């Protein structure tokens, strides 16, 4: 079964989020896309983790940026997992699933994050398998200056005409929006402008059902198997 949806950080309800086991389970379940988060280590290596600190996900403490990639790998996570590098993840997933790579940039917190992430993507020959997203306008504009080929998209809560105008100006063809702000009009406007709209993060079956009425909108979820049940309900015995 092919599941046209986005696995949020892999399958965080079954495995530690943003880890290889979490990502590979999404692949095994047939999901077409997954979302992951990228920071930069002390030695300038893109690493896959959501928070700016390692406290929540590992047995260590402190900021991601204060450790080398090797040091980050040494911290323990549940299920014997570790913080992977973006290079590890792309090596494992190339040709298996499309990737939404979120840059966890804040202003210029990571001065070379955009360059380093693009280098890894390019080295794996995966420009056509990824979209780079961020809440940070400047980060996405920098990515566009560095590459005219890679897909980019803003992450946002609002649904304003200004976002659509900005997307047109920087040739952004993806938009990630909190599901509570998605409207019928905005769905239509994105379709007319050639923007792929993704609604995040939808975990309740009733809301999944609502959005399945809009096939042009991708659903991003933590609840992979729950979504599969809504998509294709099991036949009672």
């Amino acid at each position: 079964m092919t599941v046209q949806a986005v696995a949020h950080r892999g399958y965080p309800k079954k495995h530690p989020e943003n880890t290889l086991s979490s990502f590979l389970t999404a692949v095994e379940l047939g999901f077409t896309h997954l979302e992951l988060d990228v920071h930069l280590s002390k030695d300038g290596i893109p690493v896959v983790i959501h928070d700016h600190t390692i406290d929540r996900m590992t047995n260590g403490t402190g900021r991601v940026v204060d450790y080398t990639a090797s040091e980050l790998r040494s911290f323990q996570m549940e299920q014997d997992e570790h913080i992977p590098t973006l290079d590890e993840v792309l090596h494992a997933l190339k040709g298996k699933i499309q990737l939404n790579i979120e840059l966890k940039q804040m202003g210029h917190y990571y001065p070379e994050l955009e360059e380093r992430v693009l280098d890894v993507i390019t080295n794996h020959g995966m420009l056509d398998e990824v979209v780079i997203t961020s809440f940070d306008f400047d980060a996405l504009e920098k990515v566009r200056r560095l590459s005219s080929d890679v897909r980019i998209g803003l992450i946002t809560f609002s649904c304003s005409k200004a976002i659509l105008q900005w997307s047109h100006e920087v040739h952004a063809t993806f938009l990630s929006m909190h599901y509570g702000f998605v409207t019928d009009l905005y769905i239509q406007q994105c379709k007319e402008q050639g923007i792929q709209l993704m609604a995040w993060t939808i975990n309740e079956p009733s809301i999944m059902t609502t959005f399945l009425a809009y096939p042009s909108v991708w659903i991003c979820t933590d609840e992979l198997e729950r979504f599969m049940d809504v998509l294709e309900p099991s036949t009672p015995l």
Side-chain angles (χ1 to χ4, degrees):
M1 178 181 177
T2 299
V3 184
Q4 181 70 49
V6 183
H8 187 229
R9 307 178 198 170
Y11 194 177
K13 295 294 182 176
K14 282 283 183 80
H15 303 285
E17 66 183 42
N18 278 317
T19 60
L20 290 178
S21 59
S22 191
F23 298 148
L24 291 172
T25 298
V27 172
E28 291 168 4
L29 289 173
F31 275 67
T32 55
H33 296 74
L34 70 79
E35 184 268 355
L36 57 86
D37 307 282
V38 177
H39 293 260
L40 209 59
S41 67
K42 184 178 181 179
D43 49 345
I45 295 175
V47 292
V48 180
I49 185 172
H50 178 269
D51 300 351
H52 282 79
T53 69
I54 64 173
D55 302 48
R56 180 172 63 91
M57 293 303 300
T58 79
N59 65 339
T61 61
R63 301 185 305 170
V64 173
V65 71
D66 291 332
Y67 294 100
T68 66
S70 177
E71 290 169 337
L72 290 169
R73 185 186 179 91
S74 70
F75 292 107
Q76 295 178 1
M77 302 176 73
E78 292 182 359
Q79 300 181 18
D80 199 31
E81 274 288 354
H82 65 274
I83 299 172
T85 64
L86 182 61
D87 183 70
E88 284 181 87
V89 171
L90 297 195
H91 178 76
L93 299 180
K94 183 176 182 178
K96 298 177 181 177
I97 195 167
Q98 293 283 310
L99 303 177
N100 175 343
I101 300 174
E102 179 182 344
L103 304 180
K104 304 302 288 188
Q105 185 67 286
M106 302 185 300
H108 300 287
Y109 190 82
Y110 298 115
E112 295 187 349
L113 177 62
E114 298 84 2
E115 291 94 334
R116 298 300 178 94
V117 168
L118 270 173
D119 284 346
V120 175
I121 294 169
T122 302
N123 289 342
H124 281 274
M126 293 178 66
L127 283 175
D128 61 344
E129 296 181 50
V130 307
V131 57
I132 295 177
T133 62
S134 182
F135 280 99
D136 192 296
F137 286 87
D138 291 339
L140 293 173
E141 290 174 7
K142 183 177 181 181
V143 170
R144 178 53 74 232
R145 291 194 298 272
L146 292 167
S147 171
S148 60
D149 298 320
V150 71
R151 294 183 69 199
I152 61 172
L154 187 69
I155 309 170
T156 180
F157 284 96
S158 63
C159 56
S160 70
K161 290 184 178 179
I163 289 174
L164 294 178
Q165 179 61 34
W166 176 86
S167 295
H168 174 74
E169 291 171 356
V170 299
H171 306 291
T173 56
F174 190 87
L175 182 61
S176 177
M177 182 180 292
H178 187 279
Y179 74 85
F181 295 86
V182 176
T183 65
D184 289 354
L185 176 60
Y186 215 72
I187 291 171
Q188 184 59 36
Q189 290 175 324
C190 284
K191 288 173 66 176
E192 291 172 355
Q193 194 168 315
I195 294 175
Q196 176 60 61
L197 182 61
M198 182 184 82
W200 56 269
T201 299
I202 301 174
N203 293 327
E204 293 303 317
S206 61
I207 303 174
M208 293 175 183
T209 300
T210 297
F211 274 88
L212 284 174
Y214 302 94
S216 67
V217 180
W218 290 352
I219 292 173
C220 182
T221 184
D222 299 312
E223 296 283 1
L224 276 59
E225 289 174 282
R226 180 181 294 177
F227 177 77
M228 293 171 69
D229 287 340
V230 172
L231 188 65
E232 191 172 287
S234 301
T235 303
L237 296 177

